[in-house]
Amino acid sequence: MKEKAIFFALLAALLYAISTPLSKLLLTELSPVFIAALLYLGAGFGMSVVGYIRKKTIDYTYQGFTRKEIPAILGMIALDILAPIMLMIGLKQSHPENVALLNNFEIVATALFAAFIFKEVIPKRLRLAIVLVTLASVILTVEDFGALEFSFGSFFVLIATIAWGLENNLTRRLSFNDPLMVVVLKGLFSGLGSLLIAFTLNEIIWRFDMIIYTLLLGFVAYGLSIFFYVHAQRHLGAAKTSTFYASAPFLGAFISILIFQDLPNLNFFIALVIMAIGTYFASTDKKGLKDQQKPLK
């Protein structure tokens, strides 16, 4: 059972990792806002089907949502409208391997919001991880150190990770609820919110083949990824599952390089090493991770 759970944790990381390079390909045909909407709608609708099948085949009970959780739910939905739109705008203007690594800044944002707003204590190893991941993120945002030329797209990606960092803390307030239904809720309502923005900006492009591909990507990379993660977490615990899942940004960077055949510059490799060390400290800090829930994108 343990080996199966490890497989599910790594599968969850791989499924999420493919979202960055495949989204980059979709951006050649669809607008960033429209893609953000479709990714979340794909996760929401897809996991609704999974939830229906589960209800018919398994005796599965979780605490229902209550009125006091409404502020957290509304905040979660709003941030999940903002974050993927910012990510897609940044991805359109940036190298996908850089964007994949920059996703790790979510660790920093989550920890800082937890400390300064929700008054949680940041352990020593996690503080070191924050410094290293932040340093690596700064390196990734600089295109030319000699001219101090910054990547405009990287700033949008960082805004996305900051929004998801706050959203992670709000989602944690829903940790007693069914994770699958949390994904359905955020997927459908955040997706519809982004779709409304895309419609208002006249950015809906009726390429039905691309629409289907994007919905499927959302279901696989955002929906099934979380489903497998939660399944692994049930047998491995939060800390160990997070350790395996921390490979997702690095897998995403590697897959991006394979697909686009674009050798990154020296900045990328320097940031890669620093980011890997920082991620190791973050994902192996059991004190900081014992109550951690995976970011439910």
Side-chain angles (χ1 to χ4, degrees), residues 108-121:
V108 175
T110 302
L112 293 179
F113 279 121
F116 290 106
I117 296 181
F118 300 101
K119 307 303 179 184
E120 295 184 15
V121 177

Side-chain angles (χ1 to χ4, degrees), residues 143-183:
E143 289 187 342
D144 183 353
F145 274 98
L148 276 182
E149 183 179 343
F150 292 90
S151 167
F152 192 60
S154 295
F155 287 109
F156 283 100
V157 177
L158 291 175
I159 292 172
T161 61
I162 291 168
W164 267 321
L166 179 55
E167 185 264 352
N168 289 339
N169 283 279
L170 295 179
T171 303
R172 195 174 300 174
R173 288 350 186 224
L174 308 175
S175 60
F176 292 105
N177 304 102
D178 184 354
L180 188 148
M181 294 311 298
V182 172
V183 177

Side-chain angles (χ1 to χ4, degrees), residues 19-30 35 91 210 259-260:
S19 65
T20 299
L22 295 188
S23 293
K24 181 71 173 180
L25 293 173
L26 291 168
L27 282 165
T28 61
E29 303 291 338
L30 302 177
I35 288 178
L91 180 58
M210 293 292 106
I259 291 177
F260 294 96

Side-chain angles (χ1 to χ4, degrees), residues 25-102:
L25 293 173
L26 291 168
L27 282 165
T28 61
E29 303 291 338
L30 302 177
S31 74
V33 180
F34 193 31
I35 288 178
L38 293 174
L39 288 173
Y40 267 59
L41 287 173
F45 284 121
M47 297 314 291
S48 295
V49 175
V50 172
Y52 177 79
I53 295 172
R54 186 187 67 181
K55 184 178 179 181
K56 292 294 182 180
T57 56
I58 303 174
D59 184 16
Y60 206 82
T61 58
Y62 258 96
Q63 177 179 305
F65 297 108
T66 63
R67 184 173 296 180
K68 70 177 183 178
E69 292 162 340
I70 290 177
I73 292 172
L74 293 177
M76 174 187 73
I77 291 171
L79 291 165
D80 277 324
I81 293 173
L82 173 66
I85 292 175
M86 293 294 102
L87 180 66
M88 290 302 120
I89 292 174
L91 180 58
K92 189 176 180 66
Q93 303 175 54
S94 307
H95 297 293
E97 62 271 14
N98 282 29
V99 173
L101 284 189
L102 277 173

Side-chain angles (χ1 to χ4, degrees), residues 195-209:
L195 189 64
L196 180 61
I197 295 173
F199 181 79
T200 303
L201 297 175
N202 197 29
E203 289 193 2
I204 294 180
I205 302 170
W206 297 108
R207 283 286 308 275
F208 289 103
D209 54 341

